[in-house]
Amino acid sequence: MAKSANEDQLYIGIDGGGTKCRATIYSAKNGVLGTGLGGPANPLHGLERTLESIMVSTQLAMRDAGLPLESIHQIYAGLGLAGVNLPSLYEKISEWEHPFKEMFLTTDLHTACIGAHDGGDGAVIITGTGSCGFSHVKGESVNYGGHGFALGDKGSGAWMGLEAVKAVLVDLDGLGPNTSLTGVVKDHFNTDCGMGIAEQMAGQPSSSYAKLARYVFDAARKNDEIALHIVKEGAEYISSLAKRLLENNPPRLSMIGGLAEPLNEWLDPAIAKLVEVPIQPPEMGAIYFAQQTVLEQNQKVDV
Amino acid sequence: MAKSANEDQLYIGIDGGGTKCRATIYSAKNGVLGTGLGGPANPLHGLERTLESIMVSTQLAMRDAGLPLESIHQIYAGLGLAGVNLPSLYEKISEWEHPFKEMFLTTDLHTACIGAHDGGDGAVIITGTGSCGFSHVKGESVNYGGHGFALGDKGSGAWMGLEAVKAVLVDLDGLGPNTSLTGVVKDHFNTDCGMGIAEQMAGQPSSSYAKLARYVFDAARKNDEIALHIVKEGAEYISSLAKRLLENNPPRLSMIGGLAEPLNEWLDPAIAKLVEVPIQPPEMGAIYFAQQTVLEQNQKVDV
């Protein structure tokens, strides 16, 4: 990883997503000094809330590190945020009158990728509530998928949950194949009727659908035809996402998120054996990102 | 159709759905006297708005019929509304202090079915923005499907539009088969990038997706593999919905909605040839429903 000229220099790495915001304080000399956890920080779902969550996680991390709050002005901050691939949101966050010494902003995918490969080039696939692929090789970033719930995010937890509910509603109407998912989903919603399930799910966020994904994996392992079809279709998409990323020749490929482990056994075996564990979490990726950017700035000044 | 004891008695039939509300004024002696058109009237999307749309369409129909507004208190009203299959919404509309002589409430599916079969028993399949099947035979009503956008409504315009966007996003990422839909959808959204399409469609109502259905039919007729797959899968579901309804032995089966005509050629031929044209529109079904209910009430009084 990159080294700052001043080994005592403090950095904060912040990883902001739809459900929580994590912050880690670090110096090259002393390593991790403290961590903090805040609420949702996806600017797509609210700018004010995002900035508040960033400040909460920052203050908790500073307290954890035993640092006085005034020292915030001496800390370099690296921010990896969901949603800032949209230029309008990138600009809004950039215009924030932040309290840090300097702030370096990029997407949560980029910082996750930097972290997973310990500061080096590589590719990552995120499969949790949503799904997405990202690679950063020789200064070039590319991403695939990640178009959001219902439109895209195939192979994700929310996608699996939605496919399960669709199949159960068809089964309950007697219009399609029977599936053991029907009994499980009826129990989950505590209702016998399709309209009762539809009412409870109408307008729910993707996280409510993602909660059903574990039923699909359970049923697939017991050879339920419908569940097998869903899991195989999802895994096939994730495998093709991996193949597409490998075309960019990343030195490493990692999978991150709650579905990374259960999906592994269903992937194309040639892909599954290539997948390597992420070395560091996204917050550390955000710290490396800030360090690298400071280093580049200093080099420019030196020249 | 049922006849009222008093041939001069005025009836109003109201058909309320997600985009508009239609009202027709009728007497057994003089037939249709006037019609009116109001805004959205699906209580699931707003109770106040629904009642307002009902009153606007009613007042326009009365003006069209040359009736003074005070005479509203002498009119029997039949209402077929989307959403009132949910008991909570049925109750809320029933509690409305309406201005009519009496108000008789049922679902839009029921009044569409009564209208399609000119007051008699039968079955209907609705395929427009959404999809649903309904039969009313010997006093028993049953419905299948209609679970709403993204969860159900297979074979509907919104479902076709969503499937098209999903396929286009996969194609644009180079992760799935090429389709001629990609060019058409890119033109529709005036963007070359998947994220641009996803941004424009995020959070849009089902009607925005239904607008894309015609592209799918066009591409299917030109043998585009992806479009053919979508149209055939949708038509197969609608055919199975028809078969399920026929198990209830309805004397007639009709298809209603904007996709009824374009879907027809893709249905199971055995089903396609059974489909008969709807005889009357849903507003007339609502009038028959009111007439029949008044007649039953009078018979009870006579006994």
Side-chain angles (χ1 to χ4, degrees), chain A residues 68 78 83 132 149 159 244 286 295:
Chain A
C132 193
F149 180 55
W159 178 85
R244 190 87 174 88
L295 200 65

Side-chain angles (χ1 to χ4, degrees), chain A residues 86 145 151 165-166 173 244, chain B residues 145 151 165-166 173 199 244:
Chain A
L86 303 178
L151 275 180
V165 172
K166 282 160 72 173
D173 269 345
R244 190 87 174 88
Chain B
L151 275 180
V165 172
K166 283 160 71 175
D173 270 346
E199 254 191 284
R244 190 85 173 90

Side-chain angles (χ1 to χ4, degrees), chain A residues 195 199, chain B residues 42-44 81-90 105-109 132 134 143 145-147:
Chain A
M195 204 46 86
E199 254 191 285
Chain B
N42 183 339
L44 199 59
L81 293 188
V84 301
N85 51 325
L86 303 179
S88 59
L89 290 178
Y90 183 90
L105 176 64
T106 188
T107 64
D108 57 339
L109 290 170
C132 191
F134 179 90
N143 65 300
H147 297 111

Side-chain angles (χ1 to χ4, degrees), chain A residues 153-165:
Chain A
D153 287 19
K154 210 166 166 174
S156 68
W159 178 85
M160 287 199 183
L162 177 61
E163 292 302 306
V165 172

Side-chain angles (χ1 to χ4, degrees), chain A residues 85-86 143-147 150-151 162-163 165-166 169-170 173-175 194-195 198-199 201 209 237 240-241 244, chain B residues 85-86 144-147 150-151 162-163 165-166 169-170 173-175 194-195 198-199 201 209 237 240-241 244:
Chain A
N85 51 326
L86 303 178
N143 67 299
Y144 307 106
H147 297 110
L151 275 180
L162 177 61
E163 292 302 306
V165 172
K166 282 160 72 173
L169 292 175
V170 168
D173 269 345
L175 294 172
M195 204 46 86
E199 254 191 285
M201 288 313 279
Y209 286 90
Y237 174 80
S240 69
L241 201 57
R244 190 87 174 88
Chain B
N85 51 325
L86 303 179
Y144 307 106
H147 297 111
L151 275 180
L162 177 62
E163 292 302 308
V165 172
K166 283 160 71 175
L169 292 175
V170 168
D173 270 346
L175 294 172
M195 205 47 87
E199 254 191 284
M201 288 314 280
Y209 286 90
Y237 174 80
S240 70
L241 201 57
R244 190 85 173 90

Side-chain angles (χ1 to χ4, degrees), chain B residues 11-294:
Chain B
Y11 288 87
I12 188 164
I14 295 166
D15 175 50
T19 54
K20 53 188 176 288
C21 183
R22 290 180 188 281
T24 293
I25 293 179
Y26 173 95
S27 80
K29 189 174 169 186
N30 298 306
V32 171
L33 299 167
T35 63
L37 183 65
N42 183 339
L44 199 59
H45 306 147
L47 192 64
E48 285 307 309
R49 185 80 193 270
T50 299
L51 300 179
E52 190 190 303
S53 297
I54 291 170
M55 286 316 296
V56 166
S57 61
T58 297
Q59 284 163 11
L60 290 173
M62 291 184 74
R63 194 184 298 165
D64 190 34
L67 292 168
L69 283 184
E70 316 85 74
S71 65
I72 196 169
H73 308 301
Q74 290 143 39
I75 304 181
Y76 283 116
L79 260 75
L81 293 188
V84 301
N85 51 325
L86 303 179
S88 59
L89 290 178
Y90 183 90
E91 206 168 310
K92 272 183 188 156
I93 301 281
S94 299
E95 284 166 358
W96 176 35
E97 296 198 10
H98 64 81
F100 307 107
K101 185 173 180 179
E102 261 190 272
M103 181 180 83
F104 307 103
L105 176 64
T106 188
T107 64
D108 57 339
L109 290 170
H110 189 191
T111 52
C113 190
I114 299 175
H117 308 304
D118 203 28
D121 280 358
V124 285
I125 292 177
I126 322 274
T127 48
T129 302
S131 73
C132 191
F134 179 90
S135 74
H136 186 83
V137 180
K138 293 178 182 159
E140 199 167 339
S141 297
V142 198
N143 65 300
Y144 307 106
H147 297 111
F149 180 55
L151 275 180
D153 288 20
K154 208 167 169 175
S156 69
W159 177 86
M160 288 200 182
L162 177 62
E163 292 302 308
V165 172
K166 283 160 71 175
V168 166
L169 292 175
V170 168
D171 182 14
L172 282 171
D173 270 346
L175 294 172
N178 290 132
T179 164
S180 67
L181 288 169
T182 300
V184 186
V185 168
K186 276 176 10 182
D187 287 349
H188 180 91
F189 291 106
N190 198 23
T191 175
D192 275 337
C193 98
M195 205 47 87
I197 296 171
E199 254 191 284
Q200 289 182 58
M201 288 314 280
Q204 288 295 308
S206 54
S207 53
S208 300
Y209 286 90
K211 280 180 191 153
L212 307 174
R214 64 192 172 91
Y215 300 136
V216 185
F217 281 111
D218 289 348
R221 270 181 227 110
K222 290 173 190 157
N223 286 313
D224 179 87
E225 288 272 344
I226 291 286
L228 274 172
H229 182 80
I230 296 173
V231 170
K232 283 181 179 170
E233 190 182 339
E236 198 182 321
Y237 174 80
I238 299 296
S239 293
S240 70
L241 201 57
K243 286 171 196 161
R244 190 85 173 90
L245 289 166
L246 291 171
E247 289 173 17
N248 305 324
N249 298 313
R252 290 181 95 243
L253 169 69
S254 290
M255 279 181 68
I256 301 174
L259 257 62
E261 189 272 323
L263 262 179
N264 192 272
E265 63 177 296
W266 302 96
L267 294 178
D268 181 333
I271 296 295
K273 71 176 184 194
L274 282 178
V275 175
E276 297 184 71
V277 289
I279 302 173
Q280 295 279 359
E283 312 87 87
M284 278 307 296
I287 288 166
Y288 295 168
F289 177 68
Q291 283 186 315
Q292 287 166 355
T293 318
V294 168

